[in-house]
Amino acid sequence: MTGTAFTPRVFSGIQPSGGLTLGNYLGALKRFVDMQDADTHECVFCVVDLHAITVWQNPEDLTRQTREIAAAFLAAGIDPAKAILFNQSQAPEHAQLGWLFSCIARMGWMRRMTQWKDKAGKNSEEASLGLFAYPALMAADILVHHATHVPVGDDQKQHLELTRDVAAKFNHDYGVDFFPITEPVIGGPAARVMSLRDGTKKMSKSDPSDMSRINLSDDADAIAQKFRKARTDPEPLPDSYEGLKDRPEARNLVDILAALQDRTPEDVMSEVAGQGWGQFKPHLAEVAVETMGPITAEMNRLLADPAEIDRILADGAERASAIAAPILARTFDIMGMVRRA
Ligand code: AMP
Ligand code: TRP
């Protein structure tokens, strides 16, 4: 189809629905910073508060968590001079395009989403309508900025496919070449950081067991203890990465070390082959503390001045709207809405 050249632009978002985990850091934040620093794309990053309220959020907690996620972006290295950082509800174009897209997307598309099935569970009649429509809003987040690339963890792959379907259907139905078909950017050893208690489940801020995850707010002792108690099999580390194929818990710890050190897992294995857990785990904990410690400290420093965080978010929202408003206006025109002169 496409003849249109789109400005290379990255968009990604994180929900302020709790504290961040090592999975969020390695699978998302750290990669956002790498993309910002590569200087090949405009970067737009969003604290997606409108997504968080698809499940109940206590208002005070939502306010605090929004500032915490913003502080985490900044502490990890997002620079408001280079990238846009804002919270979703301050740029109304997101919710507006979200509505238009809920008229493009089909019920059947939404029903197939595994995140919907997992989160709604057996009680789907009691789930909010927003939780069901969530992927239409996510498509709007991305497409209201005409984003060409979206870095996310593996769990978001299906939502990005739906985003491409929404763009293609809109373009087809209205006979235009207006929305880009966005490329997901997923990969590397940290695309799916697994729980420390169960190598078949992803590390998640909503897991009932705090021992299953490393939180960005954990101190050095907690990090060391959680890695020490992380579930593994009794075998020592094999000679090659290939040897970890059927050992999900062991592979996860090697992947985490690789991602923390910006190395390939194969390279890590060449150093740790044959080690027992009594040697490997304290080393992993030490590397994690070295990487995360300064980020946690910087986050806490920033959180001592919430007014400054709010100022950065407000400035970001203004810049985000400057991109989004003309794209939304053009969408209304394409759909035939009569507009104020
Ligand atoms: P969320 O916390 O669900 O808003 O997720 C924010 C970002 O972190 C998304 O890009 C997720 O794909 C990513 N993410 C969350 N958990 C993990 C994990 N365990 N491994 C890798 N990436 C993750
Ligand atoms: N759905 C994402 C998550 O739960 C968060 C999100 C919302 C997002 N809008 C987005 C991610 C747009 C990337 C792009 O992690």
Side-chain angles (χ1 to χ4, degrees):
M1 176 169 46
T2 154
T4 313
F6 293 98
T7 308
R9 186 174 291 140
V10 163
F11 183 93
S12 199
I14 298 187
Q15 296 192 54
S17 50
L20 289 179
T21 70
L22 183 63
N24 295 126
Y25 174 68
L26 294 175
L29 271 181
K30 184 170 186 301
R31 299 171 61 237
F32 300 169
V33 174
D34 291 344
M35 294 190 90
Q36 166 196 270
D37 292 345
D39 256 346
T40 49
H41 294 71
E42 276 181 38
C43 289
V44 186
F45 297 114
C46 186
V47 184
V48 289
D49 49 6
L50 299 176
H51 277 90
I53 58 162
T54 56
V55 298
W56 168 252
Q57 302 293 332
N58 180 297
E60 290 96 65
D61 292 345
L62 184 66
T63 307
R64 182 175 42 78
Q65 286 160 5
T66 298
R67 293 192 181 120
E68 274 174 18
I69 304 288
F73 270 102
L74 296 167
I78 294 303
D79 176 357
K82 290 194 204 158
I84 296 176
L85 176 64
F86 71 112
N87 62 308
Q88 194 182 22
S89 59
Q90 285 197 49
E93 298 81 9
H94 286 247
Q96 288 176 284
L97 189 63
W99 174 258
L100 304 184
F101 282 175
S102 68
C103 302
I104 301 288
R106 307 287 94 181
M107 299 281 284
W109 301 2
M110 301 295 169
R111 225 175 249 127
R112 280 195 289 279
M113 295 294 113
T114 52
Q115 184 174 303
W116 157 252
K117 291 188 228 172
D118 290 348
K119 282 204 177 177
K122 290 194 189 73
N123 216 3
S124 64
E125 290 296 304
E126 291 303 314
S128 73
L129 184 55
L131 187 68
F132 188 67
Y134 172 120
L137 181 60
M138 178 160 164
D141 296 337
I142 296 166
L143 295 173
V144 86
H145 291 279
H146 273 186
T148 54
H149 294 84
V150 178
V152 279
D154 191 56
D155 59 333
Q156 297 301 313
K157 200 171 172 179
Q158 206 184 19
H159 290 154
L160 291 182
E161 280 159 13
L162 187 137
T163 299
R164 292 161 65 94
D165 290 344
V166 168
K169 182 165 162 55
F170 182 97
N171 288 345
H172 173 267
D173 289 355
Y174 291 98
V176 291
D177 183 16
F178 182 61
F179 286 115
I181 307 299
T182 303
E183 291 296 333
V185 185
I186 303 173
R192 196 169 169 81
V193 176
M194 307 311 278
S195 155
L196 301 181
R197 308 302 306 163
D198 177 351
T200 63
K201 283 201 329 212
K202 75 160 188 171
M203 183 181 286
S204 161
K205 49 191 161 197
S206 57
D207 192 307
S209 162
D210 192 58
M211 292 301 284
S212 72
R213 63 179 161 263
I214 306 287
N215 304 301
L216 225 51
S217 55
D218 284 344
D219 63 17
D221 288 345
I223 294 176
Q225 195 206 23
K226 286 175 178 181
F227 278 127
R228 194 167 58 243
K229 297 213 165 152
R231 196 174 138 190
T232 46
D233 51 48
E235 302 297 317
L237 283 153
D239 290 338
S240 69
Y241 189 57
E242 191 43 32
L244 289 171
K245 199 158 50 74
D246 300 316
R247 298 172 61 187
E249 282 92 4
R251 194 182 58 214
N252 186 41
L253 297 184
V254 169
D255 286 343
I256 290 175
L257 181 58
L260 282 167
Q261 294 187 317
D262 269 328
R263 299 163 71 188
T264 64
E266 289 78 8
D267 186 39
V268 166
M269 282 308 292
S270 67
E271 187 182 298
V272 302
Q275 283 188 8
W277 296 110
Q279 191 178 358
F280 180 84
K281 283 175 167 180
H283 173 56
L284 172 59
E286 203 178 299
V287 173
V289 168
E290 261 167 38
T291 315
M292 318 278 289
I295 297 175
T296 309
E298 177 62 4
M299 241 178 101
N300 291 334
R301 192 189 69 77
L302 291 163
L303 284 167
D305 187 1
E308 175 61 8
I309 295 178
D310 293 0
R311 196 197 58 72
I312 291 171
L313 290 174
D315 174 64
E318 214 170 288
R319 290 153 66 202
S321 280
I323 298 175
I327 292 173
L328 179 69
R330 181 84 188 103
T331 312
F332 281 135
D333 287 340
I334 291 170
M335 295 178 91
M337 267 91 178
V338 174
R339 320 253 309 125
R340 227 190 285 161

